[in-house]
Amino acid sequence: MGPQEERPELGVGMVGYAFMGAAHSQAWRTAPRFFDLPLAPRMRVVAGRDAAAVEAAASRLGWDAATTRWRDLLERDDVGLVDVCTPGDTHAEIAIAALDAGKHVLCEKPLANSVTEAEAMVAAADSAAERGVLAMVGFTYRRVPAVQLARRLVEAGRVGQVRHVRAQYLQDWIADPQVPLSWRLDKAKAGSGALGDIGAHVVDLAQFVTGERLVGVNGMLETFVRERPYPASSSALGGAAGEGTGPVTVDDAAVFLGRLSGGGLASFEATRFAWGRKNAIRLEVNGSAGSLAFDFEDMNLLHYFDASEDPATAGFRRIVVTEPGHPYGGHWWPAGHGLGYEHAFTHQVVDLVGDLAAGRQPEPSFADGLAVQRVLDAVERSAADQGCWVDLPAAATAG
Ligand code: SOE
């Protein structure tokens, strides 16, 4: 294939420009410079509500234009994909409208704020796919090379039959009760708290790495701090900016058990109150033939225990997942020179562009996003019913 500029263009329009918008922007900028893409992404336009702020974001993040009307993206012939980086309460409206308008969609996680919304998004994606219009949900941690390697080892039978999955997502950004309200603490905007924001990630990781689905859960939710100060900057969350306190309407932490479709047992923790843990995503898989362990705080490492080894010398092997032959290897730096949080977003763009060029369903699909949404909903129903066991529809093993 010739140089990037000779590739067919993929015009991109992005809605939202905060943390996820910035992470996605760096991925659209970077992917064609480190990977040989079949389509040439062109960062055409970013949409946001505040005119001055979105103009500044366009300049800072590298977008050709800015608009305060996200529907403009659907009406532009030079936009072929809409990248949804907004809070969860607008995912369904924007993604469905974009798909109906014939635009491919990349939608941030969680797919939606409810199963009903997620089901509508899947229906729109299924209809659009018949017209060659495709959609992906952005569970980016799947695209950390060590996580991809873990998936490959499980798929190759290197841990045998999965017996246990132990998954944690630990943060501490609101452990201080004085941290003010934000949209993530407002059920109307976020749908749920730690459960949907970070619990969604570890549910997806457990299902992706094992290739199995959760078929039942039993869970607890807790809100430790139920009132917080209104933010000084905006009264968008109700109340007068910077005066008084308002209600937290989501969970601060979720703890739940699950049974996997292959018969294994899973345990999950998702909390924003783990003082000292900033973005600690930990996954351990114990199988009949070995174990795998991953910790995002050492994201370039995968630990592997092979139960067939001589007990006298057996132990967890520390694999530095930066070799050319490793997932996404050979595109970045020489072995041992590690990757960071942002590289998974670039890998997401690389895989998505390759799928669009090939007319292949990107993964994770909206159906995968719906599967996660069903787990979140089941945990909420279990927790509301004093932790009863809630069954989930037995689904085909994940692809
Ligand atoms: C906040 O918890 C957050 O920004 C999540 O929303 C992201 O998905 C995660 O990658 C980092 O933390």
Side-chain angles (χ1 to χ4, degrees):
M1 286 186 270
Q4 283 284 323
E5 54 274 7
E6 292 170 9
R7 302 290 157 72
E9 177 181 305
L10 173 66
V12 182
M14 183 172 77
V15 187
Y17 51 87
F19 178 5
M20 286 303 113
H24 284 231
S25 299
Q26 79 74 35
W28 290 114
R29 288 195 309 269
T30 307
R33 288 169 172 75
F34 283 83
F35 292 80
D36 193 2
L37 302 183
L39 302 175
R42 177 70 189 266
M43 299 166 68
R44 286 289 180 189
V45 54
V46 56
R49 284 168 302 182
D50 180 297
V54 72
E55 283 287 351
S59 167
R60 183 176 74 253
L61 299 176
W63 295 86
D64 294 345
T67 179
T68 56
R69 187 175 167 272
W70 62 264
R71 288 185 184 278
D72 284 351
L73 280 53
L74 314 191
E75 295 157 10
R76 289 178 57 145
D77 293 336
D78 62 352
V79 169
L81 179 141
V82 173
D83 188 357
V84 184
C85 293
T86 58
D89 64 324
T90 56
H91 286 185
E93 179 186 15
I94 299 170
I96 292 171
L99 289 166
D100 290 350
K103 311 297 186 184
H104 302 300
V105 170
L106 170 57
C107 183
E108 257 298 323
K109 46 51 65 181
L111 183 63
N113 280 0
S114 70
V115 167
T116 303
E117 286 180 347
E119 286 172 339
M121 294 170 82
V122 167
D126 289 348
S127 166
E130 291 169 11
R131 292 175 275 119
V133 177
L134 300 169
M136 174 194 267
V137 59
F139 285 110
T140 48
Y141 291 117
R142 290 183 172 209
R143 295 187 151 89
V144 172
V147 173
Q148 287 278 323
L149 180 60
R151 170 70 184 131
R152 290 184 189 178
L153 292 176
V154 171
E155 216 163 25
R158 301 290 290 272
V159 300
Q161 180 75 23
V162 173
R163 305 289 191 221
H164 289 283
V165 171
R166 206 163 293 109
Q168 299 174 323
Y169 198 146
L170 312 176
Q171 296 178 335
D172 69 359
W173 60 281
I174 58 168
D176 176 352
Q178 290 312 308
V179 170
L181 289 169
S182 64
W183 69 264
R184 287 194 186 286
L185 307 183
D186 174 7
K187 187 174 181 63
K189 297 287 282 183
S192 64
L195 177 66
D197 178 27
I198 52 180
H201 276 301
V202 283
V203 167
D204 180 68
L205 283 179
Q207 298 190 135
F208 170 66
V209 169
T210 62
E212 300 184 19
R213 283 277 198 259
L214 286 162
V215 294
V217 292
N218 179 330
M220 294 183 287
L221 301 177
E222 188 52 67
T223 304
F224 301 117
V225 175
R226 296 181 178 275
E227 286 278 322
R228 287 183 180 270
Y230 282 114
S233 55
S234 146
S235 57
L237 295 157
E243 289 175 27
T245 63
V248 172
T249 54
V250 296
D251 56 283
D252 287 329
V255 175
F256 52 103
L257 303 173
R259 182 177 291 281
L260 290 160
S261 49
L265 303 180
S267 59
F268 297 89
E269 271 189 279
T271 182
R272 294 157 163 173
F273 276 70
W275 271 125
R277 302 298 180 197
K278 302 305 174 183
N279 201 50
I281 306 165
R282 297 159 175 181
L283 183 73
E284 180 160 326
V285 178
N286 305 134
S288 57
S291 293
L292 290 166
F294 169 77
D295 183 341
F296 181 77
E297 292 186 343
D298 285 316
M299 67 173 279
N300 292 284
L301 302 181
L302 181 66
H303 299 271
Y304 167 53
F305 182 90
D306 179 346
S308 68
E309 285 188 358
D310 176 355
T313 54
F316 269 96
R317 205 178 294 175
R318 177 180 177 272
I319 305 170
V320 182
V321 189
T322 58
E323 296 296 325
H326 280 141
Y328 308 106
H331 289 274
W332 298 102
W333 325 122
H337 289 68
L339 301 184
Y341 173 73
E342 75 279 11
H343 292 90
F345 288 87
T346 301
H347 298 158
Q348 176 172 266
V349 162
V350 170
D351 293 345
L352 175 57
V353 169
D355 289 336
L356 297 184
R360 199 171 40 233
Q361 172 56 57
E363 290 186 0
S365 64
F366 277 15
D368 293 321
L370 172 58
V372 172
Q373 211 73 41
R374 290 194 195 286
V375 173
L376 304 178
D377 175 69
V379 172
E380 286 187 317
R381 286 185 285 123
S382 165
D385 192 2
Q386 304 309 317
C388 73
W389 189 259
V390 178
D391 290 324
L392 286 157
T397 305

